Amino acid sequence: MDPMSDLAAALAPALEPSPAPRPEPGDRLAAVLALLVGRDEPELVFTERAAMLSRHAGEMSFPGGLQDPEDADLWATALRETAEELGIEVAGESVLGALPPIHTYVSGILVTPFVAVVDELPALTVSDAEIARVVRVPLRILARIEEQRVLQEENGMTWRGWWYVDGDATVWGATGFMVHALLEVVRKEAPWAVI
């Protein structure tokens, strides 16, 4: 039994093979790669954004970014950005499909999260200009520490989202919604991976 092949086979039918998100006027399109790695114990790869970045500095995210005009599609955007940020080429056949797009209201970006599965992570060449560090967290841990929180904003608005605190890594915001969406698919299609 190959746990990662089984996980990939279970998740792929539940993901969107060719997403076509529809941005609102003024929104920009982006894509990220939720990379699951590990032969026996699947871990999710996060990047901590560099402190000097203009948007979402210091936040935990997935590798990815804005779509370039030369990108054939959002799939290509996710793979290009992962190569730029982590220095690795993820094979197209490793990408299983996409989760529903997530809107980042602060920056007006509609982000499509793609899910990929690889047995092991090759040596990384991290872009210091964009990435402060790379963190890997087992899916089982993420499922166990998942917490829904409500924040009261100064303007009186209420924000409700998903938080994952593991040691000195805190995942929340748009990435928290993506992790929750992925965990919901895993719980339904491959519950053995998070028990």
Side-chain angles (χ1 to χ4, degrees), residues 71-86:
D71 292 338
D73 52 24
L74 289 167
W75 184 305
T77 300
L79 294 180
R80 175 185 55 76
E81 286 281 345
T82 299
E84 288 175 7
E85 293 179 11
L86 300 182

Side-chain angles (χ1 to χ4, degrees), residues 16 28 47 60 63 75 83-84 93 99 109 111 141-142 162 170 174 183 186:
E16 175 57 53
R28 293 169 295 167
T47 56
M60 300 301 292
W75 184 305
E84 288 175 7
E93 60 268 19
L99 295 162
I109 300 172
V111 185
I141 299 288
L142 290 165
W162 299 96
T170 299
L183 285 173
V186 172

Side-chain angles (χ1 to χ4, degrees), residues 6 16 30 57 102 108 112-113 123 126 133 136 155 163 169 177 179 193:
D6 292 346
E16 175 57 53
I102 301 286
T112 298
V126 176
R133 65 180 173 140
R136 293 165 58 161
N155 60 8
W163 291 65
F177 277 101
V179 172

Side-chain angles (χ1 to χ4, degrees), residues 67-122:
Q67 185 175 34
D68 280 354
E70 59 270 17
D71 292 338
D73 52 24
L74 289 167
W75 184 305
T77 300
L79 294 180
R80 175 185 55 76
E81 286 281 345
T82 299
E84 288 175 7
E85 293 179 11
L86 300 182
I88 59 171
E89 301 289 334
V90 176
E93 60 268 19
S94 298
V95 180
L96 308 178
L99 295 162
I102 301 286
H103 192 268
T104 63
Y105 291 97
V106 173
S107 44
I109 300 172
L110 188 60
V111 185
T112 298
F114 288 87
V115 179
V117 171
V118 295
D119 281 342
E120 55 190 57
L121 206 55

Side-chain angles (χ1 to χ4, degrees), residues 161-187:
W162 299 96
W163 291 65
Y164 306 85
V165 180
D166 183 49
D168 64 348
T170 299
V171 177
W172 67 289
T175 305
F177 277 101
M178 294 174 202
V179 172
H180 175 70
L182 175 59
L183 285 173
E184 288 293 276
V185 173
V186 172
R187 286 179 180 119

Side-chain angles (χ1 to χ4, degrees), residues 22-45:
R22 296 197 179 123
E24 295 290 323
D27 280 350
R28 293 169 295 167
L29 290 175
V32 297
L33 192 64
L35 189 56
L36 286 164
V37 62
R39 282 203 174 88
D40 300 316
E41 176 75 16
E43 297 176 318
L44 207 45
V45 177

